[in-house]
Amino acid sequence: MGERETFCTRHFLVILFIILAIVCSLAGAQKCKPSGKIRGKKPPKNQCNTHNDSECCVQGKLYDTYNCSPPLRKGRTKAVLTLNSFENGGDGGGASECDGKFHSDKSKVVALSTGWLKNNGKRCNKSIVIHANGRSVKAKVVDECDSTKGCDSEHDFQPPCANNIVDASPAVWKALGVPKKDWGLMDVFWADA
Ligand SMILES: *[C@@H]1O[C@H](CO)[C@@H](O)[C@H](O)[C@H]1NC(C)=O
Ligand SMILES: *[C@@H]1O[C@H](CO)[C@@H](O)[C@H](O)[C@H]1NC(C)=O
């Protein structure tokens, strides 16, 4: 009897927790809704660079665009870390938006989703700290991961950026101590430096 009660109580708590988690995530999501959609165009031949897990737009597919990013949490905001080369000829396309320059794969630089770069604080040329893998790494914000546009030559025919991206140079991944084979996609926390 006692055992059975514990069992039920546990299940009840688990279910309650799941419901709370869903309610919280819905409430969070509602604070940043898509601002529009764009329809994918097929990249011209040899126009989309698929190196380093870059995705190319698919003809006819609809992509959400965002002017906003998720609200900042005090001290630690959750994000998805992606990999990008900010070098001339790298998968980042043109020069960095903040300073009009290219940046070596050896320098710790990042691009932020539009909302975090522009609309929720102005972060161009400022530094952020990225927490992951038990380490904290400081990196300079030099570019926009454009959540409002995409699927054109300016964006290397890649879809609009998600609204929760910290797009980081190889040096950032290295400093976080992530083995090279795992570079590309990772959950992290970040904060203003
Ligand atoms: C892919 O990433 C590596 C670093 O891991 C970088 O050196 C290289 O330039 C990138 N490739 C392209 C085409 O951007
Ligand atoms: C960022 O710094 C560069 C100099 O490295 C400067 O030219 C540029 O105007 C700055 N951008 C912003 C948005 O402050």
Side-chain angles (χ1 to χ4, degrees):
M1 186 68 188
E3 230 169 79
R4 197 196 167 102
E5 245 168 52
T6 326
F7 184 76
C8 288
T9 312
R10 250 189 231 152
H11 274 239
F12 175 74
L13 282 176
V14 167
I15 288 165
L16 191 70
F17 180 77
I18 291 170
I19 290 169
L20 271 176
I22 291 171
V23 168
C24 287
S25 71
L26 283 179
Q30 269 168 6
K31 287 184 186 152
C32 178
K33 286 186 188 154
S35 47
K37 286 185 190 299
I38 53 171
R39 194 173 287 278
K41 278 175 285 198
K42 197 179 166 198
K45 247 200 163 89
N46 301 325
Q47 280 289 310
C48 187
N49 183 339
T50 52
H51 287 265
N52 295 336
D53 299 326
S54 296
E55 189 191 341
C56 298
C57 289
V58 172
Q59 173 84 38
K61 186 170 169 183
L62 283 175
Y63 297 93
D64 283 331
T65 58
Y66 290 88
N67 292 327
C68 54
S69 287
L72 298 184
R73 307 254 159 196
K74 207 171 177 197
R76 298 201 149 198
T77 303
K78 201 173 174 187
V80 174
L81 193 74
T82 54
L83 175 65
N84 185 47
S85 175
F86 297 81
E87 291 192 340
N88 198 351
D91 50 0
S96 296
E97 159 138 350
C98 293
D99 56 11
K101 293 178 187 156
F102 292 100
H103 298 269
S104 157
D105 285 348
K106 293 195 170 80
S107 68
K108 285 177 273 177
V109 293
V110 297
L112 293 180
S113 295
T114 300
W116 285 338
L117 182 78
K118 296 180 167 168
N119 301 334
N120 192 334
K122 309 254 177 282
R123 295 200 167 76
C124 256
N125 287 343
K126 298 200 175 134
S127 289
I128 62 166
V129 179
I130 300 157
H131 306 277
N133 202 29
R135 298 197 192 184
S136 299
V137 168
K138 200 168 154 182
K140 189 176 174 189
V141 178
V142 296
D143 208 353
E144 175 179 18
C145 193
D146 200 336
S147 318
T148 68
K149 288 183 235 125
C151 303
D152 55 17
S153 61
E154 197 192 332
H155 301 90
D156 204 18
F157 292 92
Q158 290 170 16
C161 194
N163 62 6
N164 62 343
I165 299 295
V166 175
D167 197 19
S169 67
V172 173
W173 284 88
K174 194 170 174 196
L176 285 170
V178 180
K180 206 163 186 175
K181 65 174 172 51
D182 298 330
W183 291 6
L185 212 60
M186 181 169 72
D187 285 339
V188 300
F189 289 91
W190 70 274
D192 290 310

